[in-house]
Amino acid sequence: MSPRPVLLSLPRPCHRDEGSPAEMTVLAPAWSPNSSLLLLLLLLSPCLRGTPDCYFSHSPISSNFHTRINELTDYLLKDYPVTVAVNLQDEKHCKALWSLFLAHRWIEQLKTVAGSKMQKLLEGVNTEIHFVTWCTFQPLPECLRFVQTNISHLLQDTCTQLFTLKPCIGKACQNFSRCLEVQCQPDSSTLLPPRSPVALEATKLPEPPSRQLLLLLLLPLILLLLAAAWGLRWQRARRRVELRPGVPLPSHP
C-alpha cells in the first residue's frame, strides 16, 4: 500500500491575512525547503568560498611590522637556509604580493621545527603577512626558479615588500585579482632585446661591393697565379734542355 501524500498549507506570497489562510494541496518533497535554502546560502557565502577577488577594503599592514621582523632577525643565532624565487615577473604591486605569499610558506614551515621562543617571534612576523592567505592563489608555475639563501635575506626582502605595499594596499589599490596567478619572467634566451632606429640602421646588411673594388681585391691573386704559372713553365723548359746535351739553358727572366 503506497503512502498517502502529505497535505501542506502554504501561505501565498505577498498576501495579507484576511480570515482563514488560503490552502492548497501539494505533494511533500523528500527534502525540506529550508535545507535547500541553507545549502544555497552556504554555497554563496563569501566567507566559506574564500576571497577569489583578492580585495582589500582597508590596509592589513600594521605600522610596526618592521619591529617584529627586526626582533626575529636579532634573535637568530644562525642563518637558516631557505629558498627565494629569483624570476618573478616585475608586475606592479603583484610582485610584492607574490614575494610575501612565498615568504609566508617558509614562515609556516619554520614554525614546525622552531623552539618555543622562536615560534613566538615567527608568529609575530607571520601575523604581518598572513593577509596573503585571504587570496586564493593558483598553484605555483613550473617556470619559477628558486635559489638558496639565508633567512635573514628573506626577512629583509619581506620588510622591503611590506614597505612597498603599505602606502597603496587598501587605499589607492584594493583589488588584486589580477595577481592570483604567480607569473615568471620570460626566459631571456628566447627574447630579442628591443632595437632602436639607430641600432637597426647599424645592423643593416652592407651593400655588395662594386665591380672595380672586386677587381682591385682580386688583382694580387691574379698576379700571384701568373707568376706561379710562369715559374712552372720555366722549370719544365729547363728540364727538357738538361735532357738534350749541347743545347744552352734558357735564361730566367
Side-chain angles (χ1 to χ4, degrees), residues 172-227:
C173 45
Q174 297 181 342
N175 191 358
F176 287 81
S177 58
R178 61 187 177 88
C179 305
L180 294 179
E181 181 181 358
V182 180
Q183 300 178 14
C184 311
Q185 292 181 2
D187 190 357
S188 58
S189 62
T190 61
L191 292 180
L192 294 177
R195 294 188 176 186
S196 62
V198 178
L200 291 175
E201 192 70 26
T203 55
K204 283 184 178 179
L205 293 176
E207 296 181 357
S210 62
R211 236 179 239 184
Q212 295 179 355
L213 181 60
L214 187 60
L215 290 176
L216 289 176
L217 293 175
L218 293 178
L219 184 59
L221 180 60
I222 294 174
L223 294 177
L224 182 61
L225 292 176
L226 289 176

Side-chain angles (χ1 to χ4, degrees), residues 52-160:
D53 292 335
C54 199
Y55 184 85
F56 300 95
S57 59
H58 63 281
S59 177
I61 303 176
S62 68
S63 58
N64 62 338
F65 64 87
H66 55 280
T67 303
R68 295 183 175 182
I69 294 178
N70 290 336
E71 288 177 354
L72 176 58
T73 304
D74 295 339
Y75 181 79
L76 293 174
L77 299 179
K78 64 176 182 178
D79 272 342
Y80 294 91
V82 295
T83 57
V84 294
V86 294
N87 64 331
L88 288 173
Q89 180 69 22
D90 194 11
E91 187 76 17
K92 185 177 182 181
H93 300 134
C94 287
K95 183 178 181 181
L97 196 67
W98 296 334
S99 299
L100 295 176
F101 169 62
L102 297 175
H104 172 265
R105 291 158 55 99
W106 263 113
I107 297 297
E108 288 290 342
Q109 184 172 343
L110 290 173
K111 282 168 57 179
T112 61
V113 295
S116 57
K117 175 63 175 178
M118 184 175 290
Q119 275 188 354
K120 183 179 180 180
L121 295 175
L122 287 169
E123 185 58 37
V125 175
N126 193 37
T127 302
E128 299 294 337
I129 61 177
H130 189 263
F131 65 89
V132 297
T133 62
W134 302 352
C135 304
T136 52
F137 288 97
Q138 297 184 14
L140 296 180
E142 295 182 357
C143 59
L144 213 56
R145 294 202 311 270
F146 292 89
V147 296
Q148 183 170 318
T149 184
N150 296 326
I151 188 174
S152 58
H153 296 158
L154 176 66
L155 294 174
Q156 182 180 2
D157 180 71
T158 299
C159 193
T160 301

